[in-house]
Amino acid sequence: MLSSKRLILAHFWLAFAAFGVALVLGAWQMFVRSPFNVWHFNPEFYYRSVTAHGSVMGYVFPTLVAMAFGYAITESALEKPMIGRRWAWTGFFLVAIGAVVAMVPVSLGLASVLYTFYPPMVGNPFYYVGVVLVVVGSWIWVALMSINFIAWKRENPDRPVPLAMFANVAGAYLWGWTAVGAALEILFQILPVAFGLRSTIDAGLARVFFSWTLHAIVYFWLIPTYIAYYTIFPRAIGGRLYSDAMARISFILFVVVAMPIGVHHLFADPQVGAGFKFMHSVFTGLVALPTLLTVFTICASAEIASRLRGGKGAFGWVSALPWKNPIMLATALSLVMLGFGGAGGLINMSYQLDASIHNTQWITGHFHLIFGGAIVIMYFAIAYDLWPHLTGRALNTFGMMRTQLWLWFIGMIVTTFPWHYVGILGMPRRMAFYDYLNPAIAPQAFSVMMSAIGGFILLISGILFLTVLFRGQFGMRSEAGAYRFAIPVHMPARIPVALNSFGLWLALMIGLTLVNYGFPIAQLLALPQTNVPAVYVGAAR
Amino acid sequence: MSSETGPHHGEAVAARIERRWAALSIVIVGVLVGMATFIGIHQATMPQGRVELANPRTLHLSGEFIESNLGTSVEADGSVVVRAVGQQYSFTPQCIVVPVDTPVNLRTTSADVVHGLLIEGTNINTMLVPGYIADLQIRFKKPGEHVMPCQEFCGIGHQGMWGKVKVVEKDAFAKLMASRRRISCVE
């Protein structure tokens, strides 16, 4: 029962419009830094573009998708209109205004600090204010998800919360808490300097705060994708979900262990000691668990669907899957990218292997494969699946959808595999251009050209995606019926309290974060004279 | 799935397979973490143990990072130490010279914003965060030259921040070191 269709469509359209703009910037960056570009250009434009690309793709696009999908889940899984639609619109406008406020100084070249901020470089204060508005808007969503969850449980004390809603609320809580790290950095460290109230900043402490947000934010991006795996995919291919309980355990694991692992981004940093780096490394290993569980459950669910359709044999059932169904295709391609990206992640997890690839193009390849590949391709699937229910019009350009999904997959592989390779060779990331005439760098030129071609394939795929959605707005009117989620093979009669509530898990989430971050932060706060002079970028000279 | 034995049997089978997979997953993660731990301890490849400070405002006035102390030195106890500073958009010294097959202590910091350095063709990789000293134990197996780019975005000249490392034979290094207290390969 989707009654807030306009609200959800507004979120999706803003998300995908922002995505389209950032995608063009990404493709342009791939071109100018490759040997294809023989013209001179101002490197400042490159860093401006990277700041915009990262801020939109990291903060605006996935946040809006999670919000839109969250509202859709609330109304369709709980089967009632959501509480607080007005507040939801407030959140939407805060995100929209925040995005504009942040992007104006970035476009003017006043805040080319990249989306990871990098103090002691400090840009125009309105860039940070804009990011804060985006986060505050998304926190309204977090509160609304929590309120709707609690209200429904109160009205239905004897029924388990539907899996889609349970997972959605897990994602909301995860985001609410992980955003705190960057919020502390911006509010207490960067903004006072950006507004000129202070002139020094502790760069090491800022990096620790940011790492708190920087890793778990990926799981916030990932959760809509996992919800689609568990609750859309089995239904879309005519099957059932293998296990409801294991799904809940996976989402709970993300909530608990996504945060206390962020210091693995700081393995090469001098301001955190070896002990806590080791702790975070171990916890990073744990976060592979929910993904391993998920891959099993989803593959098993696919097998169930295939055997219901007459699939036979140990592996023969794979061919009996409905491959023409875009959701089937997207999920399979997503899992392939998740496999490669996850394997790369296990390499990044250890200090010893990370030293070879830290801050090289390997890392750029890694998170583009996981986020841009495995996660975003499921955002496409979610949009395709929900669109007829939101627009009230048929979406039947299946051939175009399949082409779009294949192009995204191929583009992502062609972009990221050479990136991984040059990373192993030691090519540093975030550079506007390279001197390909230098004999030490020349062997990397071919791989960079491959990546640039991949970037353009991705751009074509993105244009096709927007075309499909746009045409969907003007298709034949048709009633899509109620929006439904996959049902487990064995519907659990009773669910343990722990798998139906968050109290214990939130306590663990906050407790583990305090244990793993408390000491490094306290130590840096206690150390005297770690504040260093700020370096203003884009200031009037 | 097996209709002849009833739904409850199927449910039990499903739960058993799932538990086995979960156990296997835990073993996989355990082995990976164990491997990283073993190698870290066995080969002593752990990050620096303690946090050291260096004030970027007074780097040039006193302490180990004054200009005359930068470059490669042989300490009183015979160990080789390289001290270098990163600033927008260069390293000092731009070219570092080290002996082959010798343990070297690389001590670096930043004079302004966050930088980093990696030495291509090796796994030497560290961040240069202003206010803090990065301390790394390194060793080169073969003589030769490596490029040493800054690997962290440090401003609009970041793409131009490339240093160099020259690894020389031990006797050549001793000859270079004989006449000077601090050496580099900056010409």
Side-chain angles (χ1 to χ4, degrees), chain B:
Chain B
M1 268 169 271
S2 49
S3 51
E4 62 275 9
T5 47
H8 291 295
H9 179 66
E11 192 167 357
V13 171
R16 197 170 65 233
I17 299 172
E18 192 173 66
R19 268 200 306 276
R20 276 190 200 155
W21 172 258
L24 179 65
S25 301
I26 292 169
V27 170
I28 292 173
V29 169
V31 166
L32 287 173
V33 170
M35 247 161 59
T37 311
F38 175 75
I39 290 171
I41 295 168
H42 181 68
Q43 303 182 348
T45 47
M46 288 297 274
Q48 69 188 90
R50 60 196 196 92
V51 177
E52 290 184 72
L53 305 182
N55 187 341
R57 277 169 292 201
T58 54
L59 277 186
H60 60 303
L61 298 176
S62 63
E64 65 174 297
F65 291 102
I66 52 170
E67 196 170 358
S68 60
N69 201 37
L70 298 178
T72 312
S73 69
V74 178
E75 303 290 287
D77 61 359
S79 63
V80 179
V81 179
V82 176
R83 290 187 183 82
V85 170
Q87 62 262 310
Q88 290 175 326
Y89 299 100
S90 65
F91 297 101
T92 308
Q94 264 297 83
C95 182
I96 291 170
V97 58
V98 287
V100 72
D101 220 7
T102 309
V104 174
N105 183 5
L106 177 65
R107 288 174 67 76
T108 49
T109 189
S110 163
D112 42 41
V113 300
V114 177
H115 301 278
L117 67 82
L118 65 83
I119 302 178
E120 288 198 9
T122 74
N123 63 353
I124 300 163
N125 198 328
T126 189
M127 300 300 304
L128 276 52
V129 181
Y132 302 89
I133 300 171
D135 184 286
L136 209 59
Q137 299 297 327
I138 61 175
R139 188 187 191 110
F140 293 87
K141 286 183 190 145
K142 280 186 296 194
E145 282 191 26
H146 302 267
V147 285
M148 184 181 75
C150 170
Q151 36 83 327
E152 187 62 285
F153 173 67
C154 56
I156 58 169
H158 169 52
Q159 70 286 338
M161 189 165 167
W162 290 70
K164 219 199 262 177
V165 174
K166 225 179 228 178
V167 186
V168 299
E169 295 290 355
K170 282 181 184 175
D171 48 348
F173 179 77
K175 230 176 265 169
L176 284 169
M177 212 64 230
S179 56
R180 277 179 296 174
R181 215 169 57 83
R182 303 282 177 266
I183 60 167
S184 72
C185 39
V186 178
E187 269 118 43

Side-chain angles (χ1 to χ4, degrees), chain A residues 217-293:
Chain A
I217 196 174
V218 182
Y219 298 110
F220 165 59
W221 301 338
L222 186 81
I223 284 199
T225 292
Y226 273 40
I227 297 176
Y229 285 167
Y230 281 109
T231 67
I232 294 180
F233 169 69
R235 185 259 297 146
I237 62 169
R240 293 265 184 122
L241 175 62
Y242 184 82
S243 168
D244 180 89
M246 206 48 113
R248 288 169 196 259
I249 291 173
S250 298
F251 286 105
I252 288 170
L253 278 171
F254 275 128
V255 169
V256 174
V257 292
M259 241 82 48
I261 66 176
V263 164
H264 72 236
H265 289 241
L266 307 180
F267 277 155
D269 276 42
Q271 78 277 12
V272 181
F276 276 91
K277 283 177 182 166
F278 178 72
M279 288 274 281
H280 283 248
S281 173
V282 172
F283 276 87
T284 309
L286 288 184
V287 92
L289 269 183
T291 294
L292 287 168
L293 298 177

Side-chain angles (χ1 to χ4, degrees), chain A residues 132-146:
Chain A
V132 169
L133 289 178
V134 170
V135 172
V136 171
S138 71
W139 276 346
I140 292 181
W141 169 78
V142 172
L144 288 177
M145 292 302 96
S146 182

